[in-house]
Amino acid sequence: MNDARVAEVRAFNRLYTGVIGVLDEGPADAEYSLPEARVLFELAHQDPLPVTDLRKRLDLDAGYASRLLARLESRGLIERERSGEDARRQLVRPTPAGRDAYALLNRRSSEQIGGLLGRFADEDQQRLLAAMRTIGDLVGERRRDPVLVLRPPRPGDLGWVVERHGALYGREYGFDDRFEGLVARIVADFVETRDDPRQAFWIAELNGERVGGITCTRGPDAGTAKLRLLLLEPSARSHGVGKRLVTECVSFAKAHGYRGMELSTVSILTAARSIYRAAGFELVREEDFDGWGPKLTDEIWRLEF
């Protein structure tokens, strides 16, 4: 493993634990340790909770969990009982005092985090939250049912589309800055005619994070629409986002009176070509091309309505 990368992760861990106060176990007058607070949190969201489930959620061994619950019970914050369905199982639930304690902890935590976020401008808050989601997706349990939303572009989205095209295609396929310039011109053309009812742009969000986009514009003649700028972040490529974007684009073209749709791609984009083929597009023309750096085969695909 790369030593420099390990050092970066360790530095982040030290920074983060310092921010959340784990090293000091919260403020000096804190009534509860971090594990005690976590137990109250879990019980506030499931009452009663089997002790075995609590241990799994918090990754506690049996001995430590028993001592932790005994401390909370002695303070009148929880109570334990045997399950009516299985006497071998022990259930734990918060007392009224335990619920009051959780409400106080929850309010203080919200105030502290609100204070942390308040140190940053709105744009930096969004960057921070996006970074947190990225870390959660990579090292935590991925959400099983991600929420996909397609929406019109907002301020900043079109610049993001240009930047992500340049960065992703440069990294993955070696496209140079001429490709990014082309994307910028397509975006600029869209903006100049943004009131045209026969064109549209969609940004795809997965769990609130931008992961892709596509646009429908006028094609070479009045009866032909053009599908352009299909973009998918790597994190979105196993969630059906590309298929949904293409379906939305094609449906829009049909609804606005076009008789067919064209798109231009290159042969090395195998995943995108699979999506186009599944949507009914057929390859109608191809030629060699080297205008973006590497030698490519440019392709024109068409779908008749």
Side-chain angles (χ1 to χ4, degrees), residues 131-206:
M132 288 179 172
R133 285 193 293 267
T134 298
I135 292 173
D137 286 344
L138 290 174
V139 305
E141 293 185 6
R142 293 179 180 270
R143 283 168 280 196
R144 294 181 179 178
D145 299 309
V147 178
L148 173 61
V149 174
L150 303 187
R151 60 168 177 79
R154 299 170 185 158
D157 284 336
L158 297 182
W160 173 81
V161 167
V162 176
E163 185 273 331
R164 295 311 295 156
H165 269 87
L168 289 173
Y169 285 89
R171 184 178 71 230
E172 297 184 4
Y173 303 105
F175 292 5
D176 61 26
D177 55 1
R178 289 173 290 181
F179 173 71
E180 189 170 353
L182 171 65
V183 174
R185 287 193 294 275
I186 295 171
V187 168
D189 289 344
F190 172 82
V191 172
E192 288 179 1
T193 57
R194 62 184 179 276
D195 295 328
D196 184 346
R198 300 187 78 202
Q199 72 169 13
F201 210 119
W202 296 268
I203 298 295
E205 287 186 344
L206 205 59

Side-chain angles (χ1 to χ4, degrees), residues 13-29:
N13 288 344
R14 290 193 296 273
L15 170 66
Y16 184 65
T17 53
V19 169
I20 65 174
V22 170
L23 295 178
D24 296 327
E25 291 194 351
D29 62 348

Side-chain angles (χ1 to χ4, degrees), residues 48-94:
L49 181 62
V51 172
T52 52
D53 291 356
L54 179 65
R55 285 178 49 209
K56 289 179 182 178
R57 292 184 190 181
L58 302 184
D59 194 21
L60 303 174
D61 65 60
Y64 182 75
S66 179
R67 294 191 298 273
L68 180 60
L69 294 176
R71 287 202 304 270
L72 291 172
E73 192 172 31
S74 68
R75 299 172 67 177
L77 300 175
I78 67 166
E79 54 188 12
R80 289 181 280 185
E81 62 188 36
R82 292 293 174 186
S83 169
E85 299 177 354
D86 185 349
R88 295 170 298 179
R89 302 185 72 196
Q90 189 178 62
L91 305 177
V92 59
R93 65 172 71 244

Side-chain angles (χ1 to χ4, degrees), residues 100-271:
D100 290 343
Y102 166 74
L104 177 62
L105 288 169
N106 191 50
R107 184 171 68 251
R108 286 181 179 175
S109 178
S110 295
E111 291 171 352
Q112 289 171 348
I113 293 173
L116 171 65
L117 292 174
R119 292 161 47 187
F120 306 106
D122 182 71
E123 181 179 351
D124 289 335
Q125 289 184 24
Q126 295 297 331
R127 289 175 58 206
L128 177 63
L129 296 174
M132 288 179 172
R133 285 193 293 267
T134 298
I135 292 173
D137 286 344
L138 290 174
V139 305
E141 293 185 6
R142 293 179 180 270
R143 283 168 280 196
R144 294 181 179 178
D145 299 309
V147 178
L148 173 61
V149 174
L150 303 187
R151 60 168 177 79
R154 299 170 185 158
D157 284 336
L158 297 182
W160 173 81
V161 167
V162 176
E163 185 273 331
R164 295 311 295 156
H165 269 87
L168 289 173
Y169 285 89
R171 184 178 71 230
E172 297 184 4
Y173 303 105
F175 292 5
D176 61 26
D177 55 1
R178 289 173 290 181
F179 173 71
E180 189 170 353
L182 171 65
V183 174
R185 287 193 294 275
I186 295 171
V187 168
D189 289 344
F190 172 82
V191 172
E192 288 179 1
T193 57
R194 62 184 179 276
D195 295 328
D196 184 346
R198 300 187 78 202
Q199 72 169 13
F201 210 119
W202 296 268
I203 298 295
E205 287 186 344
L206 205 59
N207 293 327
E209 183 176 358
R210 292 180 300 199
V211 294
I214 200 170
T215 182
C216 177
T217 65
R218 291 180 181 266
D221 58 72
T224 302
K226 197 158 188 178
L227 183 156
R228 311 194 82 173
L229 302 185
L230 175 63
L231 172 68
L232 290 177
E233 289 283 358
S235 62
R237 292 175 185 170
S238 60
H239 297 288
V241 178
K243 178 181 177 181
R244 173 74 182 279
L245 284 166
V246 170
T247 299
E248 191 76 14
C249 195
V250 170
S251 296
F252 176 88
K254 289 180 178 178
H256 286 78
Y258 291 106
R259 297 188 300 274
M261 183 171 240
E262 284 189 0
L263 64 90
S264 174
T265 188
V266 290
S267 60
I268 59 173
L269 303 182
T270 54

Side-chain angles (χ1 to χ4, degrees), residues 276-293:
Y276 301 144
R277 185 177 289 108
F281 285 87
E282 295 181 352
L283 177 63
V284 295
R285 190 169 69 254
E286 58 184 346
E287 61 181 315
D288 292 339
F289 173 76
D290 62 359
W292 301 331

